[in-house]
Amino acid sequence: MKKNKRISWLLLTGFALFVFWLSLRTIARGDDLLYCHFFSPKTGFLVPIPFHNIFEIFPSLFNHYMGQNGRITPHFFIFLFDGFLPRWVYALANAPVFVLVVWMLLKMAKLSLRQWKYTLSAIVVFYVGLFVQMDPCMAINYVWSAAMCVGLLLIMKHINEQRTRPSVWQMLLLCVFALLCGCSHETFSVPLSGAMFFLLLRHHKQINRTNLLLILLFWLGTALLVFAPGTLSRAAKSDVGGGFSVRGAIYLLASARMLYLALIAWILLVWKKQKTWKQLLRENELFIWAIVVGFLFSLFIGYQNSKQMYGVNTCAAAMLMRALPALAPKWRSRNVWLGVVSALCLVHAGMVVYYVEKTAKQDVIALYEQSEDGLVYADVVDVPAFMATHISVPREIFTIHQKIHFEQPDKPMRALPRVAKDVKSGKISVPAEGRVLTAGKQNYLVVVPATADSVEVELTDRLPWGKEIGKSVRTIKDFTESDSAYNYYVGELWNHFVTSQTAAIRR
């Protein structure tokens, strides 16, 4: 037993070191370049306002709640790490949280560190289905929120099983914690709130007063998140949520990869007659309700982002871990599969290291400093689709300009793909109506005559075999760059393994 536990701790330590290194080496991009500044109630992040002291986080957080979204808990830490603390401090804090979620997967499956193969299985499940990019905005928003919400579930389970009432101070801390969990992230708080509601209807006699109070406070936190003025105003914007769409439904279904693995495990259990469907449904009632509510909520708001399924995948990962002991009680039948999958994950992790280093060494800042007017020609590092969930890529080199603009407004950075050089030199011709050029897998470049005030770009979504499933039109008025001959605009394509997107000038 002691040997097994030591191996488990070695595996968790290795995983923590891997997360620490990625957290340290992942470059800042996108939102992380914004959250190092004060959020103004009038201009948001559009006008750079530096923090003067750490206490300004609280008015900035309030302004953000009123104008952007209601994720109070994670955004407090994002403001803290992006605005005040060095990257190594964030890396030190991030690694234990990832390990904590792995341990929680074991706890939810009623397993322990005494079986190192279960520990390795939990790490593999987490790496395959719940790993995220290592920038603070991604890790804190999703993994830290998962740790909080799953932690609350485990605490409530412990209270219900022990049937002991916490002390006054413990209760006060639990109440604050439940409220903050509700204010964490909608991909967890909304599905769990719905699941708790249905379980309360069915099993209200089995829920004690302490847990009932924690549920009510969790619901209050969820309401504060969902109905925050910033959340409602953001939801009204067409670029955030456009309601139900076929493309969005396909994308969300494809993003729930852990759910399909859990269903395969269930089918095997039923086929081997180790469990019945009724037993599986009863044992996983909370997670099933959460998955259903999470799907319906995501389809309703129409927010097309793979991380919107993070709560669903977390619940499915717990269901999968619960199925493992019954699926292979003696381990012999599963040793080969565990070894193969672990080896594949190790190879994948090595590729992650390679691409993280590749993006870290893409010194766009050096190109900017060498330029006289701040114009940089650079392409985004193309990352394979099966690695996109693990690597933080600056899709706009194109987002690094935000930091430059804040810090050196007299020489703002403008970024164009390298193909724009060929347009400027005349190697690529541009017709009178304009032209769309590809700039890697994730970006496109629109080039129109300098006399054009605006241009309409038609984006077409297709399935892997070419079938068209939807179109949208984007009107471009604010161009990325202009010269005497042309106006240029860099846009982002939503390409992944399920659907692909192409752009063209609308005729």
Side-chain angles (χ1 to χ4, degrees), residues 23-139:
S23 303
L24 200 60
R25 294 295 293 164
T26 297
I27 63 173
R29 69 175 182 101
D31 288 350
D32 285 298
L33 301 177
L34 300 176
Y35 282 91
C36 57
H37 294 86
F38 185 87
F39 189 90
S40 167
K42 294 182 179 180
T43 59
F45 287 128
L46 295 177
V47 177
I49 303 174
F51 282 109
H52 295 98
N53 59 70
I54 197 169
F55 297 104
E56 287 187 343
I57 289 179
F58 297 102
S60 182
L61 190 63
F62 175 78
N63 296 337
H64 189 271
Y65 177 84
M66 299 301 292
Q68 188 70 11
N69 66 52
R71 300 170 192 163
I72 297 172
T73 309
H75 282 115
F76 168 79
F77 291 104
I78 293 170
F79 274 121
L80 179 66
F81 286 111
D82 281 339
F84 293 94
L85 300 178
R87 194 55 176 251
W88 65 267
V89 176
Y90 159 70
L92 277 177
N94 196 39
V97 176
F98 274 62
V99 172
L100 181 63
V101 175
V102 171
W103 176 79
M104 286 177 175
L105 285 176
L106 290 170
K107 291 294 289 183
M108 286 192 290
K110 298 180 180 179
L111 302 172
S112 71
L113 300 178
R114 294 174 183 174
Q115 276 279 13
W116 69 266
K117 293 176 184 178
Y118 285 130
T119 304
L120 180 58
S121 299
I123 292 173
V124 168
V125 166
F126 182 90
Y127 185 81
V128 170
L130 303 179
F131 211 79
V132 297
Q133 297 99 327
M134 285 297 144
D135 45 291
C137 277
M138 293 297 293

Side-chain angles (χ1 to χ4, degrees), residues 189-494:
S189 56
V190 171
L192 288 178
S193 290
M196 289 175 180
F197 173 76
F198 289 112
L199 287 182
L200 198 59
L201 290 179
R202 286 173 50 82
H203 308 289
H204 60 276
K205 292 183 180 179
Q206 301 174 24
I207 298 175
N208 58 40
R209 293 181 179 179
T210 301
N211 279 341
L212 180 59
L213 178 59
L214 295 180
I215 289 172
L216 292 174
L217 287 168
F218 184 77
W219 285 349
L220 176 60
T222 302
L224 290 172
L225 186 158
V226 174
F227 299 107
T231 303
L232 297 177
S233 64
R234 190 182 182 198
K237 298 176 183 178
S238 59
D239 62 330
V240 174
F244 176 82
S245 67
V246 174
R247 177 189 180 278
I250 293 173
Y251 189 41
L252 291 174
L253 286 169
S255 300
R257 53 190 177 276
M258 292 309 301
L259 179 60
Y260 306 120
L261 292 176
L263 287 175
I264 290 171
W266 280 20
I267 290 170
L268 289 173
L269 287 176
V270 174
W271 177 56
K272 289 185 175 184
K273 296 182 180 179
Q274 292 175 304
K275 293 274 187 178
T276 65
W277 287 109
K278 188 175 181 180
Q279 285 176 313
L280 291 169
L281 292 172
R282 185 175 64 251
E283 292 171 0
N284 297 277
E285 189 176 3
L286 172 69
F287 300 128
I288 292 169
W289 278 118
I291 288 171
V292 171
V293 174
F295 260 122
L296 293 177
F297 175 72
S298 298
L299 289 173
F300 173 73
I301 64 174
Y303 187 33
Q304 298 172 14
N305 188 310
S306 61
K307 295 298 179 292
Q308 192 62 33
M309 287 286 99
Y310 198 90
V312 169
N313 280 321
T314 302
C315 293
M319 290 162 52
L320 178 60
M321 287 301 301
R322 284 186 167 192
L324 290 183
L327 195 61
K330 295 183 180 180
W331 282 102
R332 293 181 182 178
S333 60
R334 205 165 66 89
N335 280 347
V336 174
W337 283 105
L338 180 61
V340 170
V341 175
S342 299
L344 290 174
C345 287
L346 194 61
V347 172
H348 189 279
M351 296 176 69
V352 168
V353 170
Y354 167 76
Y355 278 104
V356 166
E357 280 297 307
K358 191 174 180 180
T359 56
K361 291 175 181 177
Q362 187 183 35
D363 198 350
V364 181
I365 304 299
L367 295 175
Y368 162 78
E369 291 173 347
Q370 294 166 12
S371 68
E372 295 181 359
D373 58 357
L375 181 59
V376 171
Y377 296 96
D379 292 328
V380 171
V381 175
D382 282 333
V383 175
F386 64 90
M387 300 180 67
T389 57
H390 291 61
I391 301 174
S392 182
V393 178
R395 298 188 185 279
E396 306 176 328
I397 280 236
F398 316 120
T399 61
I400 295 177
H401 75 275
Q402 295 169 329
K403 181 176 177 62
I404 301 299
H405 174 71
F406 288 160
E407 295 182 351
Q408 301 188 40
D410 295 334
K411 182 186 171 183
M413 175 179 171
R414 294 112 62 214
L416 288 176
R418 289 191 175 95
V419 70
K421 275 189 174 181
D422 294 332
V423 175
K424 288 177 177 283
S425 65
K427 291 182 180 179
I428 296 178
S429 60
V430 178
E433 67 273 13
R435 185 171 181 176
V436 175
L437 301 168
T438 57
K441 296 178 181 178
Q442 301 293 341
N443 293 105
Y444 63 91
L445 175 68
V446 179
V447 186
V448 294
T451 54
D453 296 326
S454 65
V455 62
E456 290 186 338
V457 175
E458 189 173 70
L459 300 170
T460 305
D461 300 304
R462 290 186 173 86
L463 293 172
W465 52 89
K467 180 177 175 57
E468 183 181 313
I469 58 172
K471 286 185 176 182
S472 60
V473 176
R474 180 176 298 170
T475 301
I476 299 166
K477 295 181 180 179
D478 298 323
F479 294 98
T480 307
E481 173 70 8
S482 298
D483 57 29
S484 59
Y486 301 110
N487 291 326
Y488 305 86
Y489 175 81
V490 181
E492 185 177 348
L493 293 171
W494 286 78

